[in-house]
Amino acid sequence: MENKTLITVLGWEDRFMSGTDIILKENNIEKVILIYYQDYAFMNNESKSNFIKKIDESGVEIKVNEIELNYSSSIDNWKTLDLFFNEYDIDSDNVLLNITTIPRETIWTLLFFLKKTHNSINYIYFKPEKYCDDWLTKNHKNPRLLFKHSGVFDLDKNLVLFIITGFDGSRLNSLTEYYEPSKVVVFSQTGNQFDNDKRNNGLNNNNFIEIEKVEFNSYDVINSSRILNQKIEEYKNCNIIISSQGPKLSSLSTYKNYISSKKIALSYVPAREFNDKYSIGIDENYISGVFSFENKI
């Protein structure tokens, strides 16, 4: 096993701590970059103590670097991560990015900085055993474009909004209301896992916007990247905004396409509230792979 630097965001879900156990057991972790959000300290204090305890009890010396962010301040977060990566020597590190509990906006930001120093990184994702039956997130803010990833827009072209759907319907509808696209291409997750066929029920088309529906498997990063790329090529004469709301792995296929075509814009819908029972348990059959920063898809 190669020595690795683990980058992870502190989480309160069962799968965060159980996933950490698996990562430490199966990888030679030498350094950890632990990111946490001060906004959610009341939910994460116990998790942080348990995480540090696991590192201390791992039997090997692991250096932990902590980065404190504020979930509600995207520009400040960007500056904080920019300063960290400018000062921290990560060039030669073999990086393992645990995307399980990282907000999409932060996944994309981390990929931006890692791209400067690496040709590729390793990633790992743990599904839960189940999601809670109640709401997952609520009280959403307006959609926002990712800093330095706002695309190239031509006022003479129509706007097509690509949405990779998830279980938060209000997030999806806020995107169409905010951007008022000419057309929406909805990418929905295949399969019946987590009651997907009932909970992932798409948009409320109250504005009579033209909607095209595409099914793909977000858990297959390579194939979903290709499907996204095909649709981007199909609408290359339009302005395109992509928002990833499905499984966290869809943020990788989205960013892969951004690297290939920087004319597209990346959008995110922040939530003010997260359910402290967001998910239960862990599926130990994790998904992992190598994310390449090459343009080729």
Side-chain angles (χ1 to χ4, degrees):
M1 294 185 292
E2 296 179 327
N3 297 328
K4 292 185 174 71
T5 290
L6 171 65
I7 302 178
T8 191
V9 166
L10 190 66
W12 58 85
E13 299 171 65
D14 298 337
R15 55 179 170 161
F16 171 75
M17 205 58 65
S18 298
T20 297
D21 286 334
I22 294 171
I23 289 171
L24 293 176
K25 181 180 178 181
E26 298 186 3
N27 297 272
N28 289 329
I29 301 298
E30 286 189 337
K31 290 178 279 187
V32 173
I33 298 173
L34 176 64
I35 300 170
Y36 59 92
Y37 294 94
Q38 62 183 16
D39 321 42
Y40 299 101
F42 66 98
M43 298 173 76
N44 275 327
N45 282 337
E46 184 178 353
S47 293
K48 186 177 180 183
S49 298
N50 290 336
F51 181 84
I52 298 299
K53 183 178 179 181
K54 285 184 183 294
I55 295 297
D56 292 341
E57 294 176 348
S58 64
V60 294
E61 185 176 346
I62 300 176
K63 181 180 179 181
V64 179
N65 293 273
E66 298 183 12
I67 304 176
E68 182 181 80
L69 300 180
N70 185 334
Y71 181 78
S72 61
S73 182
S74 57
I75 298 300
D76 287 344
N77 292 342
W78 187 282
K79 292 177 180 177
T80 298
L81 290 171
D82 187 20
L83 179 63
F84 176 82
F85 282 104
N86 280 330
E87 294 181 347
Y88 182 86
D89 183 16
I90 199 171
D91 293 34
S92 61
D93 292 7
N94 185 6
V95 171
L96 175 60
L97 182 64
N98 178 11
I99 67 171
T100 305
T101 53
I102 305 183
R104 269 159 256 267
E105 186 176 40
T106 306
I107 292 175
W108 291 336
T109 303
L110 289 169
L111 291 175
F112 173 85
F113 289 113
L114 289 168
K115 183 178 182 293
K116 293 182 176 182
T117 54
H118 289 70
N119 294 322
S120 64
I121 60 166
N122 304 282
Y123 65 84
I124 190 167
Y125 173 76
F126 296 92
K127 298 179 187 178
E129 183 179 342
K130 66 172 294 187
Y131 289 99
C132 73
D133 296 326
D134 203 354
W135 60 275
L136 298 179
T137 65
K138 63 182 181 180
N139 195 10
H140 301 106
K141 297 182 181 181
N142 286 334
R144 61 193 184 206
L145 298 179
L146 182 67
F147 185 58
K148 291 186 179 291
H149 296 72
S150 55
V152 178
F153 280 73
D154 186 334
L155 296 177
D156 294 327
K157 294 181 179 180
N158 290 331
L159 172 61
V160 178
L161 181 60
F162 286 19
I163 306 178
I164 302 172
T165 61
F167 294 160
D168 288 323
S170 59
R171 268 183 168 175
L172 309 183
N173 292 305
S174 69
L175 285 161
T176 60
E177 293 168 5
Y178 188 79
Y179 290 119
E180 297 183 341
S182 301
K183 183 172 183 176
V184 179
V185 182
V186 175
F187 298 83
S188 58
Q189 176 64 34
T190 59
N192 298 322
Q193 65 284 337
F194 308 121
D195 292 327
N196 176 66
D197 53 340
K198 297 177 182 178
R199 301 186 69 174
N200 191 353
N201 53 16
L203 293 164
N204 294 325
N205 189 15
N206 297 325
N207 297 321
F208 303 101
I209 300 171
E210 184 181 356
I211 296 177
E212 176 183 352
K213 295 184 178 180
V214 178
E215 285 194 352
F216 73 174
N217 180 9
S218 293
Y219 300 119
D220 184 340
V221 174
I222 293 175
N223 193 49
S224 58
S225 296
R226 290 172 178 163
I227 293 173
L228 269 174
N229 183 254
Q230 289 169 2
K231 285 298 172 183
I232 290 170
E233 282 296 308
E234 185 177 333
Y235 293 100
K236 63 183 178 182
N237 293 323
C238 300
N239 298 315
I240 298 174
I241 295 176
I242 302 182
S243 184
S244 162
Q245 305 296 338
K248 290 289 177 65
L249 287 160
S250 66
S251 61
L252 298 182
S253 54
T254 301
Y255 203 82
K256 183 68 175 177
N257 276 279
Y258 173 80
I259 293 171
S260 178
S261 177
K262 291 184 172 61
K263 290 185 177 181
I264 65 176
L266 303 183
S267 180
Y268 179 69
V269 183
R272 291 185 176 90
E273 295 181 60
F274 293 85
N275 197 321
D276 60 354
K277 304 296 183 184
Y278 192 97
S279 73
I280 301 167
I282 186 174
D283 181 346
E284 295 187 359
N285 297 311
Y286 58 81
I287 299 171
S288 63
V290 176
F291 183 85
S292 172
F293 291 110
E294 294 180 355
N295 290 342
K296 184 179 179 181
I297 295 180

